[in-house]
Amino acid sequence: MATFLYRLGRLAFRRRRVVVMLWVAVLAAIGIGAMTAPGTSSGALSVPGTQSQRAIDLLRKEFPQASADGATARVVFEAPSGQKLTSAANRAEVESLVAKLENSPQVSGVTDPFASGLVSRSGTIAYTQVSYKVAQADVGAAAHTVQTDVVAQGEKAGLKVSLGGNAVENKATSKAAELIGVGVAAVVLVITFGSMIAAGLPLLTAILGVAAAVLSVTLATHFFDLASSSTTLALMLGLAVAIDYALFIVSRYRNEIRDGHEPEEACGRAVGTAGSAVVFAGLTVIVALSGLSVIGIGMLTSMGLASAFAVTVAVIIALTLLPAVLGFAGLRIMNGTLHTRRMKALERGEGESMGVRWAKFVTRNPVKVLAVSVAGLALLAIPTMSLKMALNDDSGKPPGTTQRIAYDTLSKGFGPGFNGPLTVVVDARDSDDPKAAAQDAYTMLSKLDDVAAVRPPSFNQAGDVALLGAVPKSAPTSEATKDLVGEIRDHGATLRQDTGADLMVTGLTAVNIDVSTKLSDALVPYLAIVVGLALILLLLVFRSIVIPLKAALGFLLSVVSTLGVLVAVFQWGWLKDVFGVDQTGPIVSLLPIVLIGVVFGLAMDYEVFLVSRMREEYVHGAEPTQAVVQGFRHSGRVVTAAAVIMVSVFSGFLLDDEALIKSIGLGLAAAVFFDAFVVRMTIVPAVMALLGHRSWTLPKWLDRVLPDVDVEGEKLRHALEAEQTDSVPEPVLAGVHTGSDDHGAPRAFTGVRSSDDTETQAPDQKGDPTEPQTPARRKLLKNPLRRS
């Protein structure tokens, strides 16, 4: 692996113009194709095998006019203060607005609030249900325009009109989080490298990689049905990992330059060593995200595969385009005009970095540090025991939005259950008396304590499938409504025995309950598959049993502590004012499983980046504790910078008004913080210091079976050293002098000159004095690994 990537890095460096032109051509081709793509489709959830989905499939066949899987909107009317909607003038205005909705494009049906009894007892609030022929994402601009016109016309007449439901267009998502993330990343990279060029390269290649990935996902909609959230997650993750991977390789490239290698050789070595870690880090992320497809929910499958593709592109960019761009930068990447005095001293080898001091502190006190870290994460994880999950509805919209106003107004006039009515389907095709079966279902629903209202059955054309409506007394996301759905389904078994008819519950509320249940049931199998596959990858990388197990257990600690934080803030309401949470409630069902997939990938990134350098030092002869400290010396700063960037990117989502986005931002930011700083940079070195050589042991039989992927570049190092054994290496203190092509001979960047420089460079050569002597680093460019 390392040898192949070494060749690839040097090839891309030498043929940099060709590589860049190829990437430009690929981007242009993808962009042209994406311009004609239909775009992502509905974000609606489809869960094959659940009762709610079977009912939707039956309604689509027997009640095509009902548009069972179509978008819906609730238009809520409230009379002016002191008036009623039943007055002649207000009623006429409402009927006019309802007629306008009936003539709207894509509408399949609109209920009359006065004829259907959809007016509150006080007579001040009414609503109409608008059903569309198309799914949520396919509701066109013309239909949205009619919705907006209805609101404006009603308010002009003195009514308060608000819109709810999934057919209502959401306000444009703020790009503040992405902008903040890129800005913070730029600042952190400049601080890390002390160079505008070195800081700019990871950002440049990351942006190009994300553009290629997002355009490719858009292009894929020509052939696949992708959820609307696929692009968002691909963008967020693609940007995150692309910066991480480029940061790691650029940092290694600069280290190789300081060690005295010419730029092309330094690039080859950087890609051969750091690039190997990038490949396996990327593979763990891809495994974690692709694993979302095992859950069986189409939206999650498309989100996972689209994000996995974005990570794949980020890896390929880091291994091909980045070396080519390094070729253009040459030695200018070493310009450190923004370095502080302390950073310059560290580069000269004077003093110790904070990361090294921290590693020494942890390895001197491993038991105490380990106990405090584990106890702290365990304490944060306690609220996880109270975790409740549900899918979000309009109650989670920001206050002041039309959806939130409609939800609150409807709750005030009718009760919270009217925001989530249940659709009950009686399939009496196998019954001797379909009408009696439907009537029995109606009677049963009317007797349930938590049912506020029941709509009488309506039959299909054949008269053997009935459609009923039931309105719960409780809110759609409450435990009481979940229990009610379960109770109705339990009564369905009795109805089946008595009449031979099947009873099924569907509707948006029932679908959300089924999805939440399926996601809860899938958590453990998903964790087992993802962690299992990743353990195999880490076993190949580190050739150790302990390291992969430690990595997985540390990740689980990060996840449960993060879920504890989410429960404490969004479910219990702790510090809710600090985070701008106006209403507490269950955690969104999608969040825990997406959090696991995303954070596992990022956690393994940091594990591979940090521990692979420790293994490299250990394989090269360092003692276990010394290898830990050296790993921090070379990679601690890079991992810290990567984690700070990620925490900043995800924290930017806390600025969003919507509770769902806030919870995603807080969850991802907390998880990265816990995993990077508590687990990887504290617990990991403490455990490795305690175990010593046992951290790197592997049973002999397993060592013979496993392929040697050489992620630490040991084979590459031996091959490079073999061809220079006849040369005396020429010492270089800190860098090289740039010639006219920026690829000149080495020189010191620090201005410090060793007293024995002249001795080392004296022509004390043995052998034929007439044969010209070639410096070792010139011969590095002619090593046997380079292919013509």
Side-chain angles (χ1 to χ4, degrees), residues 309-332:
F309 177 77
V311 174
T312 303
V313 172
V315 172
I316 297 173
I317 286 272
L319 299 179
T320 56
L321 181 61
L322 180 59
V325 176
L326 288 174
F328 287 108
L331 295 171
R332 288 190 296 271

Side-chain angles (χ1 to χ4, degrees), residues 42-116:
S42 171
L45 291 172
S46 173
V47 193
T50 59
Q51 187 185 103
S52 55
Q53 188 63 44
R54 292 200 307 271
I56 288 174
D57 296 339
L58 179 61
L59 288 176
R60 191 183 294 122
K61 177 183 177 183
E62 301 294 338
F63 291 87
Q65 72 279 6
S67 300
D69 55 350
T72 59
R74 287 182 300 277
V75 183
V76 184
F77 308 98
E78 186 173 10
S81 179
Q83 299 183 28
K84 293 187 176 182
L85 290 175
T86 51
S87 67
N90 288 335
R91 177 166 182 159
E93 183 62 33
V94 170
E95 289 175 341
S96 171
L97 296 175
V98 170
K100 189 166 189 175
L101 289 168
E102 289 176 341
N103 295 324
S104 173
Q106 301 176 312
V107 166
S108 63
V110 179
T111 57
D112 185 335
F114 299 103
S116 304

Side-chain angles (χ1 to χ4, degrees), residues 2-16 262-269 716 719-721 723 743 776-788:
T3 303
F4 168 76
L5 293 178
Y6 169 84
R7 293 169 178 160
L8 179 63
R10 294 189 61 153
L11 178 65
F13 188 98
R14 286 197 308 273
R15 307 296 184 189
R16 47 190 173 273
E262 291 194 4
E264 183 180 330
E265 177 68 16
C267 184
R269 288 176 178 245
L716 174 63
L720 293 175
E721 288 177 350
E723 52 81 29
H743 299 167
R777 56 188 175 292
R778 284 294 182 195
K779 298 192 76 174
L780 284 174
L781 294 175
K782 301 177 182 178
N783 67 72
L785 294 172
R786 177 174 177 179
R787 292 178 174 175
S788 57

Side-chain angles (χ1 to χ4, degrees), residues 573-755:
W574 293 6
L575 300 176
K576 68 175 186 177
D577 293 334
V578 174
F579 294 103
V581 179
D582 70 291
Q583 183 173 325
T584 59
I587 303 301
V588 179
S589 304
L590 292 172
L591 181 55
I593 206 155
V594 171
L595 184 74
I596 288 171
V598 172
V599 176
F600 185 81
L602 294 177
M604 294 306 105
D605 274 2
Y606 303 139
E607 178 79 12
V608 171
F609 290 165
L610 193 60
V611 181
S612 63
R613 193 60 191 252
M614 296 178 188
R615 173 169 172 78
E616 185 176 339
E617 297 294 332
Y618 180 77
V619 168
H620 292 170
E623 289 297 313
T625 301
Q626 183 186 2
V628 170
V629 174
Q630 289 301 316
F632 270 80
R633 186 184 304 279
H634 294 292
S635 299
R637 186 180 184 86
V638 176
V639 171
T640 300
V644 169
I645 290 171
M646 292 304 99
V647 171
S648 302
V649 169
F650 296 141
S651 296
F653 289 97
L654 288 169
L655 301 176
D656 199 282
D657 294 329
E658 195 163 336
L660 171 62
I661 305 300
K662 284 180 181 289
S663 64
I664 292 173
L666 179 61
L668 292 175
V672 170
F673 178 84
F674 293 149
D675 202 273
F677 296 111
V678 182
V679 175
R680 307 303 153 192
M681 303 191 75
T682 305
I683 293 178
V684 165
V687 171
M688 296 181 72
L690 284 172
L691 295 178
H693 290 284
R694 288 171 292 180
S695 297
W696 306 105
T697 56
L698 187 69
K700 291 183 179 180
W701 66 270
L702 189 57
D703 187 43
R704 290 192 298 268
V705 172
L706 291 178
D708 187 359
V709 295
D710 190 29
V711 71
E712 70 281 347
E714 181 67 4
K715 293 179 181 177
L716 174 63
R717 186 174 74 94
H718 287 317
L720 293 175
E721 288 177 350
E723 52 81 29
Q724 54 175 314
T725 52
D726 59 336
S727 304
V728 178
E730 184 177 3
V732 177
L733 291 179
V736 270
H737 171 67
T738 58
S740 59
D741 60 351
D742 291 333
H743 299 167
R747 71 164 176 82
F749 279 100
T750 60
V752 179
R753 184 174 179 83
S754 173
S755 59

Side-chain angles (χ1 to χ4, degrees), residues 277-340:
V278 165
V279 168
F280 281 93
L283 279 175
T284 58
V285 184
I286 292 166
V287 165
L289 294 171
S290 301
L292 290 172
S293 58
V294 306
I295 297 169
I297 297 177
M299 186 180 78
L300 276 180
T301 298
S302 62
M303 288 170 62
L305 293 180
S307 302
F309 177 77
V311 174
T312 303
V313 172
V315 172
I316 297 173
I317 286 272
L319 299 179
T320 56
L321 181 61
L322 180 59
V325 176
L326 288 174
F328 287 108
L331 295 171
R332 288 190 296 271
I333 201 170
M334 300 302 296
N335 295 339
T337 55
L338 300 176
H339 274 320
T340 63

Side-chain angles (χ1 to χ4, degrees), residues 208-229:
L208 290 175
V210 167
V214 171
L215 289 174
S216 298
V217 171
T218 306
L219 178 62
T221 59
H222 274 300
F223 315 101
F224 306 103
D225 187 22
L226 299 180
S228 54
S229 50

